[in-house]
Structure formats: C-alpha cells, structure tokens
Amino acid sequence: MSDATSPTGLGPFERVRELQPRAPLPRLIPVRQHYDVPAEPDVAAATARELEALRARIRPGMSVAVTAGSRGIHDLATVVRAACDWLRAAGAEPFVVPAMGSHGGATAEGQVAVLASYGVTEETMGVPIRATMDTIELGRVVPDGPMVHLDAQAARADGILLVNRIKPHTDFHGEIESGLGKIAAIGLGKQRGAEGIHVYGSTGLARWIPAVGRHIVETGRVLGGIGIVENAHERTARIAFVEPDGIAGPAETELLAEAGRLLGRLPFDDLDVLVVDELGKDKSGSGMDTNVIGRMWIDGVAEPERPRVTNITVHGISKASYGNAVGVGLADFVPFRVLEDIDLHALYVNAMTSGIGGVRRAKLPIALPTDEAAVAAAILMCGRPDPENVRLVRVHDTLDTVHLLVAESLRTEVDKQPQLEVAGEPVAFDCTPDGALPDWPQLEA
C-alpha cells in the first residue's frame, strides 16, 4: 500500500502526527483456507431455468420491474441480465429499478451510478433503468408499525421480480435476514421506507423486514423472486426461484440456512489483533461482515459467540464505497489515510438511515499517522504481556477468508485444522519506510 502519511490539514489529529508507537510485529505465515462448497457452473442458464416456473404468469407486453441493489454480489449483473433476457423472450417488457434504500447519497442519480459500479447499466442490461426516490404509501402492517413504501417506478409496473442474494444479516439474526424480503421492504422502500423500518432499532428489523416484505408481496404486484446463494469463495452456489408465498416465508428461511452453512469465517476463535486491509459497502452492508469479525456493536443486539477479537485495525476504504466508510466504527485503529478518504456526508446519511444500528458503527476509531503505527498500537493495547507472541491475522477484507496471513504464534493451531494449508514460507511484517503495510506475498500454487 502507498501514501501511508498524509499532508497537513487534519485538525486536532495533527497533534498526534509524531506519535509513533512501537511494537514487535510478528512474522506471518501465508495460509489458504479450503472450503468444500458447491458452485453453479452456468449462472445465466440457471437463472433462465428457474424462471420457467413463472412463464404462465407472463402476459404479452406486460411491464416487469426487476430489482438490483445489494452490493458485493459476484454475479448480480449476470443474473439481472439473464432475468431481463428471459422476460423479453417470454413477451414481457422488463426494466431495472435501483432497490437500495438510501445508498448513492439518497439520490436517483447516485443510485444509477452505484448500479453502474456493479456493471448494471442500460447498455449492459439491454433494458431501461428507471430510478426515483419517490414512493407510494401502501399503509401500515399494523397501526403502530412502520408505513410501507414502494418505489414509484415499480408500483407502475404490471409485475415486480425481486432479485437478491440471500445471506445472514450483519445487524440481527432471525428467520428472515438479508434476501428477497429485505430487497422488497428496504430496497423498494427507498430512503423513506428504510428509515421508517430502521427507526424501530436493529432488534425491530427481525420483525419489520419480513412483515413489510410480506405486505408488499400480498398486494399481488410481486411475481416472485430470484434468490442467489453464494459460497465461501463469494461465488454463486445456487440460483433458486421463490414463489410469492415463500418470500419472507419458509422457502426463504430454508435458503438462509443454506447460506449460513456456506458462509466463510475466520478459522480461529480468539485473536488479539485482526488487520483488515480494506472495508467497504461492496464488502458488506456494514463495511466489514459482522459475522466474520464477531462484532455487532448495536445496543440491544447480542454479540456473536465467536470469533473473539480484541483489537481490529482497518487500513483503507474500497473505491466502490465512494467514501462511505460505514463500519469504520467497528474498528479500533486506523491510519490517517482512512480519515482523508471518508465522505462524512455519505457516511452519516447511511448511518442515520440505519438508526441505532449506525450509531457506533459511524464513530471514528483511534487514528494514528501510519499503517505501522496503527498495528503497533493495536498490539500494545491488546492486553497481552508478551507482545512478541501476539495472536494476529491479516485479511484483505471480510469477503475473503480463503487467503490469510497468520502470525507464527498460531502455527500449531493451523497445523491442527485440516482445512488450512500453509501456502508459503513465513514472511516478516516489514512495513515500508513511510509506514505502509507490506504487499501481500506471492502464494504457492
């Protein structure tokens, strides 16, 4: 990594520019974690196959809104394009709607730009993209519940096809988490709908996401959904068509259980320090996957049992996040460069839309001048009296739990786990002269 130091202009942080904590940095073993996982060999063909269940409901010339919104889905563009192609071949007139709450700065133009970063454009999809932040109100599920909002463009269509990945949520756990019910309730609800649900707090998400999703489905507008289940390599394991009565219902719950079994995780229960090269909205809705790092940090939500990580350092924000550093509050230490890359407006809009779930996750960690200083401070402040034996792991991001750099102190535990393979000789944790993280070593084939 480069640009470890920053020019002046960081206000009160300038007072710590000369603060350079020192700690022994461990030698790191390149490790590859193997997963025995299914993979879908032809995603487009699988999408078309699954949509055949819908054929009898397609009328010539009917307009169909196809949702696209969640970040980090490897084959999103492929699935959406295949769905649009199938719908056109069946005689429908599909179009794409951005279904993403407040993302893209809570503007229609910003949401179109976010879709483009996923490879979803009018040119690549071959159909129009109709973006708006306007919604229609469908009433309340119960008198004291949130108002149900529906994207105005989707509401004008003859039918809606939901497309989303089904996976464990990073804010709560329940029978319905991230998936088709969520893309309906939060995505098609746009900013007003998302805010209306999040105001009940993260514990309320488990109740209101499925309830609002079902309310939208029960209008009869939703034709069904294409659920994407990914494996630990972040590749499509399965494409499944879900009938309307299964959305935010038993069929989706079954797919969520499958996704949970396939989720990539860290192979250690206890760590002193986790070094994360990059967080981002394209990595997780919470910047870092809370199921991977073992931190929820939301008032009223139970913390995961594992892993238990004392300190986390984060060293960059992905370009695809456009400065939205939501989740930076899940870290304990960052270099100044991260502060410079944060778009506070984007971060705060996202955090405020999330309600209580955004409070701690939008806070700033301890900021130090360089990557090396951030890691050293994390080691010095982890509560270990023998820092030379620190239990440290480095990952590029929380999407990738396959490629790990593991401190030599964990070698015995690596050798005991059959899914872990040493992929090279130990390397020194030698930061550059200006304090940047060292490049990742070339791993053995």
Side-chain angles (χ1 to χ4, degrees):
M1 303 180 73
S2 59
D3 300 321
T5 58
S6 308
T8 59
L10 288 175
F13 290 100
E14 290 299 329
R15 291 181 57 83
V16 298
R17 187 170 292 282
E18 303 306 317
L19 186 58
Q20 295 287 343
R22 302 293 179 187
L25 302 182
R27 285 164 57 85
L28 299 177
I29 307 167
V31 171
R32 184 180 291 111
Q33 182 167 202
H34 294 279
Y35 294 97
D36 183 14
V37 293
E40 174 53 61
D42 191 332
V43 172
T47 302
R49 179 193 69 227
E50 291 297 305
L51 283 171
E52 283 300 316
L54 191 57
R55 185 171 292 278
R57 278 164 268 175
I58 301 299
R59 303 187 309 273
M62 73 182 296
S63 60
V64 179
V66 180
T67 68
S70 291
R71 85 288 296 170
I73 303 175
H74 184 266
D75 291 315
L76 177 65
T78 300
V79 173
V80 173
R81 175 60 192 249
C84 290
D85 287 347
W86 185 91
L87 286 165
R88 284 189 301 179
E93 297 178 1
F95 63 94
V96 172
V97 291
M100 55 181 74
S102 66
H103 300 167
T107 68
E109 298 77 13
Q111 296 200 344
V112 170
V114 171
L115 286 189
S117 73
Y118 303 158
V120 177
T121 66
E122 291 188 342
E123 292 72 26
T124 57
M125 298 297 102
V127 301
I129 294 178
R130 298 177 184 166
T132 182
M133 296 304 294
D134 295 336
T135 63
I136 66 167
E137 294 183 351
L138 300 178
R140 300 181 187 275
V141 180
V142 294
D144 63 341
M147 177 61 69
V148 179
H149 288 265
L150 177 62
D151 177 287
Q153 293 286 0
R156 296 187 188 104
D158 297 318
I160 300 170
L161 178 66
L162 304 174
V163 176
N164 201 21
R165 174 181 54 194
I166 297 174
K167 65 181 287 290
H169 202 281
T170 55
D171 290 4
F172 71 95
H173 292 306
E175 292 186 356
I176 302 296
E177 299 183 24
S178 284
L180 300 173
K182 181 191 172 188
I183 206 73
I186 302 290
L188 289 178
K190 312 303 288 189
Q191 185 178 23
R192 294 178 67 195
E195 287 178 339
I197 293 174
H198 280 99
V199 75
Y200 288 85
S202 294
T203 54
L205 295 179
R207 176 184 181 187
W208 295 118
I209 283 180
V212 172
R214 287 300 312 158
H215 191 86
I216 291 173
V217 170
E218 287 166 1
T219 65
R221 290 177 166 92
V222 176
L223 300 171
I226 289 291
I228 304 167
V229 175
E230 291 188 335
N231 60 34
H233 297 281
E234 269 51 66
R235 299 297 184 267
T236 300
R238 182 179 173 192
I239 299 289
F241 179 75
V242 180
E243 295 285 354
D245 63 1
I247 294 171
E252 188 170 342
T253 298
E254 289 182 12
L255 291 171
L256 174 63
E258 180 178 350
R261 291 191 294 270
L262 296 176
L263 183 69
R265 301 181 188 273
L266 294 175
F268 307 102
D269 286 343
D270 293 282
L271 293 175
D272 297 319
V273 178
L274 176 64
V275 177
V276 181
D277 286 16
E278 191 174 84
L279 63 71
K281 294 294 290 184
D282 55 329
K283 313 302 180 185
S284 172
S286 54
M288 295 183 286
D289 192 325
T290 58
N291 299 290
V292 173
I293 65 174
R295 291 183 176 182
M296 282 290 190
W297 283 17
I298 297 175
D299 186 50
V301 177
E303 292 299 306
E305 293 185 3
R306 67 166 302 275
R308 295 170 290 275
V309 182
T310 303
N311 287 330
I312 296 176
T313 69
V314 167
H315 300 266
I317 305 168
S318 69
K319 291 182 179 179
S321 297
Y322 297 98
N324 185 350
V326 69
V328 70
L330 291 167
D332 303 293
F333 302 87
V334 296
F336 283 177
R337 180 185 58 257
V338 169
L339 297 183
E340 293 183 318
D341 289 344
I342 294 176
D343 180 336
L344 283 177
H345 181 269
L347 169 60
Y348 288 171
V349 167
N350 197 162
M352 290 177 180
T353 301
S354 299
I356 194 172
V359 175
R360 295 177 70 183
R361 296 178 181 186
K363 290 183 178 181
L364 293 180
I366 295 174
L368 292 166
T370 65
D371 294 317
E372 184 173 9
V375 175
I379 293 172
L380 292 174
M381 298 172 68
C382 75
R384 175 170 287 280
D386 53 341
E388 64 278 2
N389 292 318
V390 64
R391 296 170 61 85
L392 180 148
V393 170
R394 179 183 174 189
V395 298
H396 183 269
D397 55 65
T398 57
L399 276 179
D400 186 359
T401 59
V402 173
H403 304 99
L404 311 170
L405 291 175
V406 177
E408 284 187 308
S409 61
L410 293 165
R411 178 60 188 259
T412 300
E413 293 175 47
V414 169
D415 291 339
K416 289 180 179 179
Q417 300 192 55
Q419 84 278 14
L420 298 182
E421 172 196 6
V422 174
E425 294 298 318
V427 294
F429 199 145
D430 288 335
C431 293
T432 65
D434 62 354
L437 290 179
D439 291 335
W440 277 68
Q442 293 288 350
L443 301 183
E444 297 175 357

